[in-house]
Amino acid sequence: MRAIVVEELGGPEQLHVSDLLTPEPGPGEIRVDITAAGVNFMDTGARRLGAATGDLPFVPGVEGAGRVSALGPDVTEFAVGDRVAWVYVYGPTPSRSCCPLPTPCRCPTTSPTTWPRV
């Protein structure tokens, strides 16, 4: 899979397209095929100052949504094909990402116009 990767801290010239291995979920993780990813102003700070994890290299972006494509060992809360979303998961978030539980939450399968009133 291809992703924008920050290998050194600095300006936009530090953003590079890289080929990454497809991640395999570990215990307590799910892998998600991402359909939407949030990369926003916070990520410009991470590019200059570093990600909260302190790790280099890193893929900018900490939020996303998609469908579960693989389950780690002992994961029973989700099934392959579930729609999920998350926020503040650091690590690869290009086209596939592994998320630790319980961070992701299920997304409703109905459109927002049909959600019940709360």
Side-chain angles (χ1 to χ4, degrees):
M1 75 183 161
R2 296 175 61 93
I4 299 293
V5 177
V6 177
E7 295 176 354
E8 295 180 39
L9 301 180
E13 69 279 1
Q14 299 305 330
L15 301 173
H16 302 282
V17 177
S18 297
D19 290 312
L20 302 177
L21 296 174
T22 298
E24 290 300 322
E29 294 182 330
I30 59 174
R31 185 178 66 215
V32 179
D33 290 344
I34 298 172
T35 54
V39 178
N40 52 56
F41 186 70
M42 179 184 95
D43 298 300
T44 63
R47 184 197 71 223
R48 291 182 299 112
L49 304 171
T53 61
D55 295 334
L56 279 173
F58 68 92
V59 176
V62 297
E63 53 218 19
R67 290 196 180 271
V68 175
S69 60
L71 305 173
D74 302 322
V75 173
T76 59
E77 301 91 330
F78 295 94
V80 170
D82 283 352
R83 291 175 41 171
V84 295
W86 64 90
V87 65
Y88 290 113
V89 174
Y90 288 90
T93 55
S95 59
R96 291 186 181 92
S97 183
C98 289
C99 294
L101 299 179
T103 305
C105 64
R106 265 190 199 80
C107 295
T109 57
T110 57
S111 72
T113 57
T114 62
W115 290 354
R117 289 188 176 185
V118 179

